[in-house]
């Protein structure tokens, strides 16, 4: 597309139209905030939600990128503020007599609930309800809650590791997710959160970790991970040390799989990969050499095959089971190419 700006997020490929809605439970920072993606009934002229839901998130992204909020936030607002997610805002829920399986999605450091709309809506189109959390532990670029008595939002900024404090212990404390539903999924810091959820909550059957940042997971926890994990890595992010941690898990559970998508970078598994333009690419390093639509196909199909196997679904997602062994175009088993340092 040259230097032109594209604001198109991908259309879903599954058999179900997708709706989404925001859910906020509780009036304190201990409450729950998430965007829910779900199969919905088709509705003509349905409103499509903004991808960046509030201007304040542009400021949060600027802060996370260590750029001046004064000039970067307005530029981001102009560049991506009009982008909409191709799903039905508050579309009518599509009834399902057997009930949809549930995926809890955890974002990476400096992200928030809408930045993985492409993969979340794609999975919803195949018959899942996906709850994309927005964390209030200072790991989001910014978030907010609505105190009952104040009548306005209270915003929570991203928090960097305080000077003089070791990052391992700081980030490990932020990994406090206690979820009770079927499958956990996440990207980067959210990927290791999904793995940790298997330790903390026995209700999870499995986890899908997108380019997991394994650093915060304590060594003592590896023997405690009881369920299978699918690690879907990008080519340019992982280190030998991180992959060694993944292999420790796969050596304990033969159903844990590790694959790498060639031509991808860390941000390839976020929506930024679909937003071309020099500003976005310079700030977020979002473009690998692989076509992002192809990358999304590999990620979602591998996840679907894995989820069918471990959630015991009666679907035909096993048509993509070869991906779990790293067999296919632009995918390889394990992680043959690792950077030596972060």
């Amino acid at each position: 597309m040259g230097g032109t700006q594209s604001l198109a997020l991908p259309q879903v490929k599954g058999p179900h139209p997708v709706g989404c809605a925001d859910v906020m439970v509780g009036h304190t920072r201990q409450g729950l905030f998430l965007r829910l993606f779900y199969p919905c009934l088709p509705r003509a002229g349905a409103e499509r939600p903004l991808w960046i839901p509030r201007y304040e998130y542009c400021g949060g992204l600027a802060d996370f990128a260590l750029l001046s909020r004064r000039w970067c936030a307005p530029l981001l607002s102009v560049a991506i503020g009009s982008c909409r997610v191709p799903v039905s805002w508050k579309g009518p829920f599509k009834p399902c007599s057997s009930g949809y399986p549930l995926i809890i999605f955890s974002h990476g450091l400096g992200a928030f609930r809408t930045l993985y709309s492409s993969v979340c809506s794609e999975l919803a189109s195949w018959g899942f309800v996906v709850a994309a959390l927005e964390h209030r532990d200072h790991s989001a670029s910014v978030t907010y809650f609505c105190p009952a008595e104040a009548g306005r939002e209270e915003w929570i900024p991203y928090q960097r590791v305080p000077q003089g404090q070791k990052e391992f212990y700081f980030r490990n404390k932020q990994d406090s997710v206690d979820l009770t539903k079927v499958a956990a999924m996440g990207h980067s810091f959210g990927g290791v959160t999904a793995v940790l959820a298997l330790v903390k909550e026995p209700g999870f059957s499995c986890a899908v970790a997108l380019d997991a940042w394994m650093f915060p997971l304590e060594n003592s926890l590896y023997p405690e991970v009881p369920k299978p994990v699918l690690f879907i890595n990008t080519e340019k992010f992982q280190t030998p040390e991180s992959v060694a941690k993944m292999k420790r898990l796969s050596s304990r559970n033969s159903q844990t799989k590790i694959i790498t998508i060639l031509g991808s970078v860390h941000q390839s598994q976020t929506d930024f990969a679909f937003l071309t333009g020099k500003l976005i690419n310079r700030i977020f390093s979002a473009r690998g050499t692989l076509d992002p639509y192809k990358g999304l196909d590999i990620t979602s199909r591998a996840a679907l095959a894995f989820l069918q196997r471990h959630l015991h679904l009666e679907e035909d997602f096993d048509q993509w089971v070869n991906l779990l062994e790293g067999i296919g175009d632009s995918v390889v088993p394990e992680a043959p190419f690792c950077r030596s340092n972060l």
Side-chain angles (χ1 to χ4, degrees):
M1 294 186 181
T4 61
Q5 177 82 25
S6 169
L7 295 179
L9 295 182
Q11 300 286 336
V12 299
K13 293 188 175 181
H16 303 284
V18 175
C20 80
D22 285 341
V23 178
M24 188 179 289
V25 180
H27 293 287
T28 69
R29 68 172 60 211
Q30 283 72 43
L32 190 65
F33 191 24
L34 58 90
R35 175 157 289 189
L36 203 65
F37 297 85
Y38 53 88
C40 78
L41 298 172
R43 185 173 61 173
E47 178 188 354
R48 294 184 169 190
L50 285 169
W51 178 56
I52 304 296
R54 299 275 296 268
Y55 177 79
E56 288 87 348
Y57 288 96
C58 293
L61 288 172
D63 290 344
F64 179 72
L66 294 176
L67 297 171
S68 168
R69 177 184 283 245
R70 187 173 176 181
W71 64 262
C72 187
L75 274 179
L76 285 172
S77 182
V78 169
I80 59 179
S82 63
C83 179
R84 293 185 179 269
V85 184
V87 298
S88 176
W89 179 242
K90 297 183 179 178
F93 192 85
K94 185 176 183 179
C96 176
S97 58
S98 58
Y100 298 111
L102 178 66
I103 298 169
I104 307 294
F105 193 100
S106 183
H107 63 70
L109 286 177
F112 42 90
R113 69 190 187 282
T114 67
L115 296 190
Y116 302 89
S117 294
S118 299
V119 67
C120 291
S121 57
E122 179 64 20
L123 293 171
S125 77
W126 292 97
F128 289 81
V129 170
V130 184
L133 303 177
E134 186 164 294
H135 297 301
R136 290 171 169 170
D137 59 357
H138 297 281
S139 63
S141 60
V142 71
T143 187
Y144 65 96
F145 63 100
C146 301
E149 68 283 355
R152 57 177 175 77
E153 302 96 355
E154 185 166 328
W155 287 83
I156 303 170
Y158 176 74
Q159 185 176 346
R160 298 190 182 279
V161 180
Q163 191 167 6
Q165 194 172 137
K166 291 189 177 295
E167 183 165 33
F168 176 88
Y169 298 105
F170 183 76
R171 295 301 179 203
N172 188 268
K173 286 191 296 185
Q174 288 181 324
D175 251 331
S176 55
V177 180
D178 182 16
L179 306 170
T180 60
K181 297 297 181 178
V182 185
M185 187 172 180
H187 175 249
S188 192
F189 188 52
V192 78
T193 301
V195 175
L196 185 62
L198 297 182
V199 178
K200 291 198 168 187
E201 179 46 62
F204 282 109
S205 297
C206 59
V208 178
L210 306 181
D211 225 11
W213 183 45
M214 298 296 286
F215 176 73
L217 193 63
E218 294 181 69
N219 288 334
S220 62
L221 288 173
Y222 284 93
E224 305 298 323
V225 179
K227 305 287 177 60
V229 181
L230 171 60
F231 292 101
I232 305 179
N233 294 332
T234 66
E235 185 178 345
K236 300 296 184 182
F237 177 72
Q238 293 297 334
T239 65
E241 295 80 10
S242 183
V243 172
K245 291 184 174 185
M246 297 175 189
K247 288 183 177 180
R248 286 179 65 183
L249 293 181
S250 66
S251 70
R252 295 178 178 276
N253 189 322
S254 63
Q255 293 302 308
T256 287
K257 304 294 183 182
I258 308 168
I259 63 174
T260 296
I261 301 177
L262 301 179
S264 58
V265 299
H266 194 51
Q267 298 296 341
S268 296
Q269 293 172 328
T270 74
D271 293 340
F272 284 117
F274 298 97
L275 306 180
T276 62
K278 291 181 180 178
L279 175 69
I280 298 301
N281 193 43
R282 171 167 286 191
I283 295 175
F284 299 107
S285 303
R287 301 290 287 186
T289 57
L290 181 69
D291 175 71
Y293 293 89
K294 188 171 186 179
L296 177 62
D297 279 350
I298 295 170
T299 297
S300 57
R301 290 171 180 178
L304 289 168
F306 183 79
L307 292 169
Q308 170 162 322
R309 176 180 291 181
H310 299 294
L311 301 183
H312 309 292
L313 306 178
E314 295 182 6
E315 302 286 350
D316 61 354
F317 304 150
D318 52 3
Q319 63 183 297
W320 300 307
V321 74
N322 281 350
L323 291 172
L324 301 182
E325 307 301 329
I327 300 171
D329 187 25
S330 300
V331 63
V332 293
E334 295 195 344
F337 313 112
C338 287
R339 298 192 299 134
S340 59
N341 50 59
L342 277 171

